[in-house]
Amino acid sequence: GRSACVIGSDRDGGFGPDQVPEGLRGPDRFDALADALSSCGWSASERESFAWRAWHVLLRDALPRA
């Protein structure tokens, strides 16, 4: 479901600028993505999970504790 969706990038050239959705040319424009998700009915909690919380939960649960 939506709570398992995340945003990320390999940042190693796995795709070119022509394959990036219009309006999202850099991380400074991710607010446009959040706005688009909101207009598609995603709740604030779902958008937060997509932006960072799902990564946080995954890494917290998968990485060894110090």
Side-chain angles (χ1 to χ4, degrees):
R2 291 178 179 176
S3 65
C5 294
V6 298
I7 189 165
S9 170
D10 58 11
R11 301 297 294 168
D12 68 356
F15 57 89
D18 57 321
Q19 295 169 305
V20 176
E22 185 176 331
L24 296 177
R25 296 290 180 208
D28 60 322
R29 294 299 301 136
F30 285 168
D31 59 323
L33 182 54
D35 293 343
L37 292 173
S38 179
S39 70
C40 290
W42 285 48
S43 69
S45 176
E46 290 169 331
R47 294 188 312 273
E48 178 183 88
S49 181
F50 178 76
W52 68 273
R53 187 170 300 281
W55 277 120
H56 173 80
V57 170
L58 173 72
L59 295 172
R60 180 198 66 207
D61 293 348
L63 294 175
R65 302 205 186 266

